[in-house]
């Protein structure tokens, strides 16, 4: 097994596109690291660079302490599983799984041993003599996984491997990948834009935007202490509410509103223009202990266990997540408060960096 280290890794496609921009990342031996970010932020390009399917413009890639920039893809000890992994339609599942290692000249009995082992790990034993078209979508996905496992890579690279599956199968496949990682303990880079997958699978999450890593941290830290406004807005659904304003003498005053809101600011919050962030679950509706502002309910979405209440606050569209038992009607007037200590503050500039 081996860790992966990316040093100032950059990939440009012509002068106009920098897909990956001076990326530094350390993935520990045996770690499960999730790369999360919006479409086009450079996730696939990062994996393809590690796999050797793209050449770095500048920077270095180390696998197991060895610089692999000039090492051929087949000799890097990595296996990549793609979103639209295509199986050979006229080969059996057994031949599909064993294809790559057979091509590498491995003996027949060793190929059989590895295929049987991988099939058992993924509960594919019963399917080995079938053809891909005789499998469900989830089984086909598992065949692609098994084909990666038999190569015994030092590093697994997954590029949204579950995105073609329906919601129920995704959950099942997710738990299988988690179990597989516990058993194989292989270093894994896993790309997704599904937050639940990222939060549940990752030892750590690396959030990317526009080719740049914004934050690398354990999942709960990314949620609780986002490093900047981009991460704060990207992680969490519904997204964090933001209100722009100024801090003056320890008081937050929203832009364009006559009212002041008294909020206990972190002592380090500098005076000046800031963005206040508060998660929907930290917005209190009609709570007698905290009343900061008044608004009118625009929309009520009943999700079952919880209800989302939409309203305008100080010029911004906001959402509160409240218990489903609460009776909140559209067009009614509500009192809004923020849970004590739950507000985040970000610089109101291009960096959007966390304050305090
Ligand atoms: N071969 C290429 N030639 C030119 N531009 C490319 C090429 N491959 C990727 N790009 C560009 O690089 C950027 C990053 O692409 P990439 O595929 O890495 O994004 P991604 O994060 O995987 O997105 P998605 O979530 O949509 O898969 C995009 O702007 C994309 O258009
Ligand atoms: Mg991609």
């Amino acid at each position: 097994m081996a860790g992966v280290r990316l040093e100032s890794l950059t990939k440009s496609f012509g002068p106009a596109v920098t897909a990956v921009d001076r990326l530094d990342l350390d993935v520990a031996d045996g770690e499960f690291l999730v790369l999360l970010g919006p479409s086009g932020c450079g996730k696939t390009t990062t994996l393809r660079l590690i796999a050797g399917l793209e050449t770095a413009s500048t920077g270095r890639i180390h696998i197991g302490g060895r610089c692999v920039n000039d090492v051929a893809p087949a000799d890097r000890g990595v296996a990549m599983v793609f979103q639209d992994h295509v199986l050979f339609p006229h080969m059996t599942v057994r031949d599909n799984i064993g294809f790559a290692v057979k091509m590498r000249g491995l003996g027949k009995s060793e190929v059989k041993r590895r295929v049987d082992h991988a099939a058992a790990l993924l509960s594919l034993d019963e399917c080995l003599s079938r053809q891909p078209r005789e499998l469900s979508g989830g089984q086909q996905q598992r065949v692609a996984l098994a084909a990666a496992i038999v190569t015994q890579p030092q590093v697994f690279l997954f590029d949204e491997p579950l995105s073609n599956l329906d919601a129920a199968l995704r959950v099942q496949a997710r738990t299988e990948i988690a179990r597989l990682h516990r058993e194989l303990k292989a270093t894994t880079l896993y790309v997704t834009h599904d937050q639940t997958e990222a939060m549940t699978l990752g030892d750590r999450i690396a959030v990317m935007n526009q080719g740049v890593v914004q934050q690398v941290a354990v999942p709960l830290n990314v949620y609780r202490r986002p490093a900047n406004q981009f991460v704060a807005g990207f992680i969490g659904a519904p997204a964090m509410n933001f209100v722009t304003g100024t801090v003056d003498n320890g008081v937050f005053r929203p832009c364009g509103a006559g009212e002041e809101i008294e909020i206990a600011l972190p002592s380090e919050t500098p005076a000046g223009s800031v963005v206040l962030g508060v998660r929907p679950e930290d917005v209190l509706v009609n709570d007698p202990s905290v009343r900061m502002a008044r608004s009118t309910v625009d929309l009520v979405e009943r999700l079952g266990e919880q209800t989302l209440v939409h309203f305008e606050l100080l010029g911004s569209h906001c959402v509160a997540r409240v218990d489903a038992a609460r009776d909140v009607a559209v067009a009614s007037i509500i009192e809004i408060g923020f849970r004590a200590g739950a507000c985040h503050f970000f610089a109101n500039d291009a960096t959007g960096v966390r304050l305090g």
Side-chain angles (χ1 to χ4, degrees):
M1 293 301 151
V4 174
R5 188 151 54 90
L6 308 180
E7 269 176 21
S8 201
L9 188 63
T10 299
K11 177 66 184 178
S12 305
F13 294 105
V17 181
T18 304
V20 176
D21 194 1
R22 288 161 290 172
L23 188 108
D24 290 311
L25 195 62
D26 244 316
V27 190
D29 186 9
E31 184 176 21
F32 197 117
L33 184 117
V34 173
L35 265 182
L36 182 68
S39 184
C41 74
K43 304 180 296 293
T44 296
T45 306
T46 303
L47 290 198
R48 288 175 58 81
L49 285 163
I50 298 169
L53 304 175
E54 298 283 359
T55 312
S57 302
T58 55
R60 283 164 169 269
I61 303 163
H62 299 267
I63 298 176
R66 173 175 73 134
C67 178
V68 296
N69 281 51
D70 298 322
V71 175
D75 300 326
R76 291 191 182 193
V78 306
M80 188 156 167
V81 180
F82 302 91
Q83 168 182 341
D84 44 3
H85 203 99
V86 183
L87 304 176
F88 300 108
H90 301 298
M91 282 189 198
T92 61
V93 166
R94 174 178 290 284
D95 289 342
N96 261 288
I97 298 176
F99 183 77
V101 275
K102 216 190 262 169
M103 293 307 284
R104 288 184 196 176
L106 219 64
K108 232 180 177 174
S109 62
E110 177 63 9
V111 172
K112 181 174 183 318
R113 195 188 66 75
R114 289 197 193 181
V115 171
D116 286 340
H117 177 66
L121 266 180
L122 290 161
S123 314
L124 288 167
D125 328 52
E126 308 282 308
C127 311
L128 283 173
S129 53
R130 293 196 214 163
Q131 294 199 328
R133 67 185 153 77
E134 299 168 310
L135 301 178
S136 72
Q139 287 167 332
Q140 291 184 25
Q141 204 70 52
R142 295 212 293 273
V143 173
L145 276 180
I149 290 172
V150 292
T151 65
Q152 299 187 342
Q154 300 186 9
V155 178
F156 280 105
L157 304 172
F158 290 112
D159 193 1
E160 310 211 32
L162 309 184
S163 53
N164 291 338
L165 304 182
D166 68 34
L169 266 180
R170 277 183 90 116
V171 174
Q172 188 190 335
R174 195 171 82 209
T175 46
E176 264 160 24
I177 286 182
R179 179 179 55 82
L180 214 59
H181 182 249
R182 276 197 305 277
E183 285 174 19
L184 301 174
K185 296 184 176 63
T187 309
T188 302
L189 271 99
Y190 187 99
V191 163
T192 182
H193 52 238
D194 181 317
Q195 295 192 23
T196 316
E197 249 169 68
M199 295 297 284
T200 54
L201 284 174
D203 291 321
R204 288 186 304 160
I205 297 177
V207 184
M208 276 183 90
N209 189 32
Q210 298 183 338
V212 178
V213 166
Q214 307 288 316
Q215 183 170 14
V216 188
V218 299
L220 273 184
N221 264 1
V222 176
Y223 190 80
R224 289 183 181 152
R225 285 189 63 81
N228 57 40
Q229 194 186 345
F230 173 81
V231 176
F234 190 74
I235 303 273
M240 187 183 278
N241 301 299
F242 294 115
V243 181
T244 306
T246 50
V247 169
D248 188 15
N249 269 335
V251 174
F252 176 77
R253 190 172 287 121
C255 286
E259 311 113 277
E260 293 184 347
I261 315 188
E262 273 198 52
I263 296 172
L265 299 167
S267 51
E268 314 90 290
T269 314
S273 183
V274 300
V275 176
L276 177 155
V278 60
R279 294 209 180 272
E281 62 267 31
D282 295 322
V283 178
L284 306 173
V285 175
N286 294 338
D287 184 322
S289 64
V290 207
R291 291 187 172 175
M292 297 180 331
R294 241 174 211 205
S295 185
T296 312
V297 176
D298 290 329
L299 175 71
V300 174
E301 293 181 294
R302 300 198 179 278
L303 303 180
E305 191 189 355
Q306 290 168 326
T307 295
L308 302 181
V309 180
H310 297 249
F311 56 92
E312 282 250 328
L313 181 65
L314 312 162
S316 306
H317 169 251
C318 290
V319 182
R321 190 202 295 271
V322 301
D323 196 279
R326 298 284 297 281
D327 197 14
V328 186
V330 174
S332 64
I333 307 277
I334 47 172
E335 298 272 359
I336 303 297
F338 298 156
R339 197 182 301 283
C343 291
H344 306 253
F345 293 91
F346 305 100
N348 187 22
D349 59 21
T351 68
V353 66
R354 179 186 192 83
L355 307 168

